[in-house]
Structures are given as C-alpha cells and as structure tokens.
Amino acid sequence: LNLAILLYTVACLLSTCLGVMTGRVDPKTGFFFVLKYVEYFILFFMVVNHVRDTAQVKRFIFCLLLTCLITCVIGMLQIPAGGRLTAPFEGERGEPNTFGGYLLFLGAVTAGILSQAGTTRTKHVLIGLLVAIIPPFLFTLSRSSYFGFIPALLVLGILMKKRVIVIGIFMLLLAVSPLFMPLQVKDRILYTFNQPQHHRQIQVGDVRIDTSTSARIRSWQEAIADWARKPLFGYGVTGYRFVDAQFPRVLTETGIIGLLAFLYLLYCTGKVALENLRVLKDPLFRGITIGFIAGYTGLLFHSVGANTFIIVRIMEPFWFIAGLVVVLPVVESQSSVEAVDATAAAAGPIPSVGSLSRSDRADGFTV
C-alpha cells in the first residue's frame, strides 16, 4: 500500500498546487482538504507501526464497536421525532448519507467478527450490536447505504465456510424484508421511481427517476464534460464545484492521473486484505478481515451516491481497520513465536547427552 498511498497523495498535491497557481483553488481551503486526506494515511501508518499484540487488537476493536453502539443509541433516540437520522456532532444540518455509510461499514465488520466468533457470550454481544445497528441504519433513509448493503451482504456470504447455505439464507431474508420494513423506508426506496411527474426528472423509457437522483446524474454528466477541459490534473482539490459522488469528484479534481492513482489505491487495499485472509488462522483476525472486505465492498457501492472516501466519519474507522488488517499476520506470527517460547520455558532446559542416565542411552537414541 505504500506506493499507492504515495502516488495518490502526490496526485492530490500536484493538482491542487496547479489549481492554486491558476486561481481555481483557494490556498487555505485546498491545503486543509488535502491535509485531511493525508491524515487518514497517517492514522493508517500509526496503527501499522504500533499494534504489536492480540491484546491491543482486542482493545481497539472493543472501542470501535462501543463507539458504534453509542452512536446507534443516539440515532434511535431521534426516531420518535421523525425525519432522517444523523450522527452526533454534525451541526444543524446533519448528513444521513454519511451516518448510513458509517453504520454500513461497522455493521459489516461486526458481522465478520460474528461469523468467526467462538464463545456463545461473544456471539450474543455481537448479535446485540447488529440488532442495535439495524434501526438507525434503516431510518437514515440513505439510498446509497441501502445500495451498498446488498453487495456487502453477498461478500460476507461468499467469504464464509458454508457459503451456499449462508447466501441462500441472506437472499431469503432480503426477499421477505419488505414485509417487515418500516413504511418510511419502503416509501423512500419507491420514491426513486414513483415521484409525481416533474420537469426536472430524467426519464429512461417509461421509467421516471426522482428529481434528487436526476440532479445527481446530471451533475455527474456535467463533471465529466468539464473534466475534458483539464484532463490530466483536473481543477485541483476543491477547485471544482461540489459533486456528490466519489469517482466523478476525483476525476474532476485530480484528472485522469489522480483517478488512476485512486483506483490503484483501492485495488491495493482490496488485494492486501484478500491476501492476508488466506494466511490468517486466528478466528478473531479472520473475522476482522472478512468484515473489512465486506464493508469495503459496500463502501465502493455507497460511493456512487456520496463522497465516501473523503468523509471523516467513514474514512477514519476505515483506515484504522485497514491498518489492523495489514498488520494482523505480523501479530499472529509474533503470538505464535511467543507461545512456542512460553511452552519451551515451561518444559525446562533440554538435558545434554552427558546428563542422561544409562537407561536413557538405549540403542536407537539419536541426538
């Protein structure tokens, strides 16, 4: 991941500096936005360089999931008031889409750990957390989060041992979910296609798409058209107007150079996680990695309708767990060495040949 992180950081810096020189980017705004991106990678490197044992991993995961539980409780307290749920500390205008992406990722991590959990108590605690995540996730009314949920669920099933049975159960649950889904959630999903006719709607054949989604699609089309004027390095970070989708935003801000670097970063992230999953044996470590891969897949789809990979509340836990996933094989190897050393120490020193009794030196004894 080092080279991928370096290439993407350099692409952001270069495009933003060019934007500042041409007057498209405000120096202060551009500097702090790029600094925010770099901060995610600093967090990643902090984890990789300081996590060294299983106890640390357990403490960090506990704190991450406890934070998730607290935000879920705060979210559920908002349900009686009506409206879309948002995370704490978002000001007067919340960001339900952001909250939905956060719950999507942490829910996938929780489910991954649950799939490998050994003790009944651990399973009960994780099931309780998943139950707490579901209501606020649904009541964010975030269609991007719903869109990311299905592929995340499928990846979870594929990575489990009894994948055919698990995927079958997941598909059955999805099929019957409309029977139990809250009315607001069903209305939100159906609103995409049954909004009353409006002149700003995009129509594909006989299907009309609601004005919100239509406006997002038009913004993507305009962004791609404007990118053609600055194809290599784009307009610089914050040098182009707001685009509520990750990939068109990266393309317009950093050009084709930045987009290729960003895609390479995403590719390396997924590749490292899959490679580590193949070598890990510890159930907790495998569960974390499975959950990360599923959550990562969900966020890729979530980013179709949001700036997922630059949002603080999603990217800080994402890169934190990415750091854990990268270092888990080292931690597992170190734990194995320490276990062997502890066993050898408990067994005592190996006797030398000279200290063996006459009966120990029976025929066939080999040193």
Side-chain angles (χ1 to χ4, degrees), residues 158-232:
I158 291 169
L159 296 177
M160 291 182 187
K161 291 180 180 179
K162 300 179 180 178
R163 64 189 66 179
V164 176
I165 297 175
V166 173
I167 292 176
I169 294 173
F170 285 165
M171 292 297 99
L172 179 62
L173 290 174
L174 284 175
V176 301
S177 62
L179 300 176
F180 309 100
M181 202 175 290
L183 181 61
Q184 298 96 313
V185 177
K186 289 189 282 189
D187 288 344
R188 177 65 174 171
I189 296 172
L190 295 175
Y191 181 78
T192 307
F193 306 106
N194 65 6
Q195 181 191 28
Q197 190 169 358
H198 193 280
H199 69 280
R200 293 184 179 179
Q201 292 173 336
I202 291 177
Q203 187 163 340
V204 181
D206 297 330
V207 178
R208 286 180 288 104
I209 302 174
D210 72 285
T211 51
S212 174
T213 307
S214 297
R216 183 174 280 117
I217 293 173
R218 287 194 182 94
S219 71
W220 302 345
Q221 295 171 339
E222 293 168 2
I224 294 172
D226 291 338
W227 158 76
R229 301 172 188 171
K230 306 281 183 185
L232 285 181

Side-chain angles (χ1 to χ4, degrees), residues 18-70:
L18 291 172
V20 170
M21 288 189 288
T22 55
R24 294 189 301 269
V25 176
D26 175 68
K28 181 176 66 175
T29 306
F31 170 78
F32 281 107
F33 259 80
V34 174
L35 184 63
K36 180 174 72 169
Y37 302 170
V38 174
E39 179 226 339
Y40 303 148
F41 303 137
I42 292 174
L43 179 62
F44 167 79
F45 287 120
M46 286 172 62
V47 174
V48 170
N49 285 284
H50 289 87
V51 173
R52 286 293 175 266
D53 57 57
T54 304
Q56 284 179 296
V57 175
K58 290 181 177 179
R59 284 198 299 271
F60 285 136
I61 290 296
F62 172 80
C63 291
L64 281 165
L65 298 185
L66 177 61
T67 303
C68 181
L69 176 62
I70 293 170

